[in-house]
Amino acid sequence: MARKRKRSLLEQVINSPAEKEESTSPKLTKYWLQRYNLFSRYDEGIEMDEEGWYSVTPEEIAVKQAERCRGKVVIDCFSGVGGNTIQFAKVSSSVIAIDIDPVKVEMAINNALVYGVDDRVDYVVGDFIHLAPSLKGDVLFLSPPWGGPMYNKVETYTLDMLQPKDGYKLFQIAQTITPNIIMFLPRNVDLAQLEELAWLSSPPLTLEIEENCVGGRIKGITAYFSCSAV
């Protein structure tokens, strides 16, 4: 039986003529118009909270990132509403999806059900930083909060702007689990800092930087760190 789709709060606002002009947040309306770039199966019951609208990885990018993890055990450390988790689940041997917000985890489970991959993911409500000592995996995916949509207002985005810990600290924690680390970061990130992460590691790591585009526009930067090809 098909699940009856609940309208998101944003849809309710957008579809209410009396309230649209005064109540619709322009920043969220922009993402609403891109909803099929975020989830191609959006109309089949995808659920997102406000933060999810501007933080989920566009599906086209998530697919490319997942291809690097084929057949691996992947840890999605800040899984949010599950955009990356879904794509990892399609190609990897298993996925551990972690988020500190139980509401987001529930949405991620729902969204994985929409894509038919819910049985390939272990969901954990918790803080990745505290859970790290107990985690084991082949590839670790880091897409921590960028600080909201205002990240693109600065000329250069530095790793200390990442949340809840600066990028250097998060990277150090990740390295205690695996040297194969994928970071999804703002398009204006300081590339020199990413190179620093690689060569300051012991032993130094290989780094590949990829510009991620959707519709001809750069949406972010993916950094692939490894001691060998992931």
Side-chain angles (χ1 to χ4, degrees):
M1 181 183 296
R3 295 183 56 171
K4 185 175 180 181
R5 185 172 176 276
K6 296 186 292 184
R7 293 196 310 164
S8 69
L9 177 60
L10 179 58
E11 283 182 278
Q12 295 174 39
V13 171
I14 287 177
N15 292 328
S16 174
E19 298 181 355
K20 179 176 179 180
E21 185 173 348
E22 294 182 2
S23 302
T24 303
S25 167
K27 68 179 181 181
L28 291 186
T29 302
K30 176 179 72 173
Y31 296 108
W32 161 257
L33 295 174
Q34 301 174 51
R35 60 196 180 279
Y36 300 115
N37 289 335
L38 304 180
F39 289 98
S40 60
R41 302 179 69 171
Y42 178 83
D43 288 339
E44 297 177 42
I46 292 297
E47 297 176 358
M48 284 189 280
D49 60 1
E50 180 173 329
E51 185 179 359
W53 280 99
Y54 57 77
S55 63
V56 69
T57 303
E59 188 168 283
E60 180 180 337
I61 297 173
V63 168
K64 291 180 181 178
Q65 293 166 337
E67 278 299 319
R68 301 296 190 100
C69 306
R70 188 170 288 275
K72 308 291 186 179
V73 176
V74 181
I75 304 172
D76 188 351
C77 304
F78 300 89
S79 55
V81 297
N84 281 101
T85 298
I86 289 167
Q87 302 307 322
F88 289 138
K90 287 183 176 182
V91 299
S92 64
S93 63
S94 63
V95 183
I96 301 169
I98 303 167
D99 202 278
I100 200 167
D101 183 348
V103 175
K104 284 185 174 61
V105 172
E106 286 297 320
M107 291 178 174
I109 293 171
N110 170 82
N111 297 341
L113 280 164
V114 171
Y115 280 79
V117 296
D118 53 296
D119 59 338
R120 303 175 201 172
V121 183
D122 291 319
Y123 292 93
V124 180
V125 177
D127 185 339
F128 160 68
I129 294 168
H130 295 152
L131 293 170
S134 63
L135 297 173
K136 296 183 183 300
D138 301 313
V139 182
L140 191 143
F141 181 72
L142 282 175
S143 183
W146 296 353
M150 299 303 290
Y151 71 87
N152 61 358
K153 301 301 181 183
V154 298
E155 182 177 353
T156 302
Y157 187 96
T158 55
L159 293 178
D160 63 297
M161 298 170 71
L162 290 172
Q163 300 174 359
K165 295 279 188 180
D166 70 82
Y168 289 99
K169 181 62 176 177
L170 288 174
F171 195 79
Q172 289 174 351
I173 294 170
Q175 284 185 293
T176 65
I177 302 169
T178 175
N180 300 316
I181 300 165
I182 301 174
M183 297 183 77
F184 184 49
L185 299 161
R187 59 181 178 267
N188 55 339
V189 69
D190 187 338
L191 299 182
Q193 289 188 329
L194 298 181
E195 294 171 354
E196 188 178 34
L197 288 178
W199 62 259
L200 283 179
S201 298
S202 181
L205 298 177
T206 299
L207 169 63
E208 179 183 344
I209 293 174
E210 177 181 80
E211 284 189 344
N212 302 120
C213 299
V214 176
R217 300 186 64 181
I218 300 176
K219 295 293 186 178
I221 295 288
T222 303
Y224 299 93
F225 298 89
S226 64
C227 59
S228 60
V230 177

